[in-house]
Amino acid sequence: MTIDEAPRDVLRGGPRELLRWVATGAAVSRADLSRLSGLSPSTVSQRVEALISQGLLEETGAGRSRGGRRPRQLAVPTGGAVVGAIDLGAHHARVGTLDLSGRVVQARTLPVRIEDGPEAVLGALLAEVTTLVGGDPAAGGGAVADGSAADALRGIGIGIPGPVQHSTGRIVSPSRMPGWNGFDAAAFCAGRVDVPVIVDNDANLMALGAHRTAHSELDHAVYIKAGTGIGSGVISSGRLHRGAQGSAGDISHCRVVADPAPPCTCGNAGCLEAVASGAALVTALRGQGVQVSDLTGVIRLIDDGDRQATALARQAGRAVGEILAVVVNFFNPQVVAIGGRLADCEPLLASMRATLYERCLPLATQTLLIERVAAGQDVGITGAAHLVIDHVVAAA
């Protein structure tokens, strides 16, 4: 099956929030949940029973008494249900399974050739999820096998390094992904697995994973993913904001001041991705006669203090900062965090930070956090898992 849109849980003390409080240790009993949510004990008990019946919560014994009957402790099951997650990149994919609290159970990184096309790439990655869960990747051409392993899998979240129309799961005009335009990824996956599948842009999933991991207490945030390509995800009022069609946060084709303005894959010139992405840095260095084959080589040159590579990284940081200054002035987030492989490039980060402070209104940056995404290589699969968990819990 596919998901057009995960059900929304807008009420304080809704099932997703109750589960999150238990998962983070903020609550260990119904009484704790009632205190945190402000809901009556009977309402909390009803919602907890629904989560227990779906296998999303479990009772683990009696807790400490505070003058009355000892409360029954609650926990998120760790030995049973899991969600699958795929974070697809241009050259590698991170694949994993996570428990219902969002903790990684298993994960591995696999090489991919995005030019092999969506059927081959997604088919192989779905089979890998099946293997991690414990099914038979040869069964049904990669479909989840029968038995307890299949029952344990509650859904799969997939991040795509290109624009995704979230309501349909269809990929729309991606850069550097030949053969993927118009591909209905959600329908393809639905034919191969018997669990819910959510397909979204990889920057959105990085934003969700980073926010839930490090800044869940904040309401407004912007997360930039800077690697071979460049994009961002937006958190508004504590929720992932996609906009009308799913393209909110796509800064890659915003125009920056550049002379000369390099051509972009979208047909325009001077787009942020054509100036500041990892692919753009590779192209620019080759144009200066530097023999470099990929982003890894660029980062190595910068780490070694290469003058040309460092100058280009600073220029890229200024370009990113120019676009983010518009975003920060307009949206007024509490945090701007950069992830992806270029996040460890200090000259780029310093230049981006300086440009933000220079171009933004003082009120917008007065308490603004500007930092690296600290969640590590699993941030994308963590976001994918939380997207699935939110849907499963809301459905319960």
Side-chain angles (χ1 to χ4, degrees):
M1 64 177 291
T2 61
I3 299 174
D4 289 341
E5 178 67 52
R8 295 182 178 180
D9 179 14
V10 298
L11 297 176
R12 181 167 176 80
R16 280 185 287 183
E17 195 166 23
L18 298 183
L19 179 66
R20 194 169 301 128
W21 279 327
V22 175
T24 59
V28 296
S29 68
R30 290 169 173 80
D32 290 340
L33 293 174
S34 181
R35 173 176 51 82
L36 288 170
S37 66
L39 297 174
S40 68
S42 61
T43 299
V44 168
S45 182
Q46 183 181 33
R47 294 182 179 181
V48 166
E49 290 300 326
L51 292 171
I52 291 174
S53 69
Q54 294 291 321
L56 302 173
L57 282 179
E58 65 181 6
E59 294 179 331
T60 59
R64 180 180 299 178
S65 173
R66 295 182 179 178
R69 187 172 60 182
R70 296 173 67 189
R72 288 173 291 174
Q73 288 188 302
L74 300 170
V76 175
T78 57
V82 296
V83 295
I86 298 170
D87 183 20
L88 177 62
H91 305 291
H92 298 86
R94 188 72 172 166
V95 179
T97 57
L98 297 90
D99 66 25
L100 296 178
S101 69
R103 287 187 290 263
V104 176
V105 177
Q106 298 183 77
R108 61 184 64 164
T109 299
L110 304 170
V112 298
R113 285 170 41 89
I114 206 76
E115 61 270 24
D116 287 344
E119 292 93 344
V121 171
L122 291 177
L125 295 176
L126 287 171
E128 192 66 30
V129 171
T130 301
T131 300
L132 291 178
V133 174
D136 179 6
V144 173
D146 294 333
S148 60
D151 294 338
L153 184 64
R154 296 301 186 91
I156 300 174
I158 303 174
I160 301 291
V164 176
Q165 187 179 44
H166 182 72
S167 61
T168 64
R170 190 177 293 275
I171 301 166
V172 182
S173 301
S175 301
R176 295 182 297 276
M177 296 178 69
W180 290 71
N181 182 39
F183 183 72
D184 193 338
F188 172 79
C189 294
R192 301 177 71 88
V193 296
D194 295 323
V195 294
V197 175
I198 305 178
V199 181
D200 209 333
N201 173 260
D202 62 340
N204 280 345
L205 297 188
M206 187 200 75
L208 185 60
H211 194 72
R212 294 282 177 87
T213 301
H215 292 299
S216 60
E217 77 285 359
L218 301 181
D219 291 326
H220 311 294
V222 176
Y223 296 91
I224 304 95
K225 184 171 186 179
T228 302
I230 191 165
S232 73
V234 178
I235 301 293
S236 178
S237 298
R239 300 175 57 83
L240 183 61
H241 177 70
R242 297 188 181 89
Q245 291 292 324
S247 67
D250 191 347
I251 60 174
S252 57
H253 299 291
C254 294
R255 186 165 184 170
V256 297
V257 178
D259 185 22
C264 182
T265 56
C266 72
N268 291 316
C271 294
L272 181 63
E273 185 166 295
V275 173
S277 68
L281 295 180
V282 171
T283 299
L285 282 170
R286 287 175 177 172
Q288 295 180 12
V290 179
Q291 298 301 313
V292 61
S293 59
D294 54 22
L295 181 53
T296 299
V298 174
I299 294 174
R300 186 180 302 115
L301 288 172
I302 294 170
D303 290 342
D304 289 341
D306 180 85
R307 177 178 57 84
Q308 292 167 288
T310 300
L312 285 172
R314 293 188 183 280
Q315 177 182 320
R318 285 192 294 273
V320 174
E322 287 178 10
I323 298 302
L324 287 181
V326 177
V327 173
V328 169
N329 281 329
F330 178 79
F331 179 56
N332 191 202
Q334 295 157 294
V335 60
V336 169
I338 181 169
R341 298 185 67 197
L342 284 176
D344 292 327
C345 178
E346 189 58 41
L348 184 149
L349 190 62
S351 185
M352 181 195 82
R353 188 190 300 269
T355 304
L356 267 174
Y357 281 121
E358 177 187 346
R359 300 291 182 91
C360 290
L361 294 171
L363 182 60
T365 57
Q366 192 173 54
T367 59
L368 179 68
L369 297 173
I370 305 173
E371 62 187 30
R372 292 184 179 92
V373 171
Q377 65 178 340
D378 289 333
V379 63
I381 62 172
T382 298
H386 277 291
L387 209 58
V388 176
I389 293 166
D390 285 351
H391 173 80
V392 171
V393 172

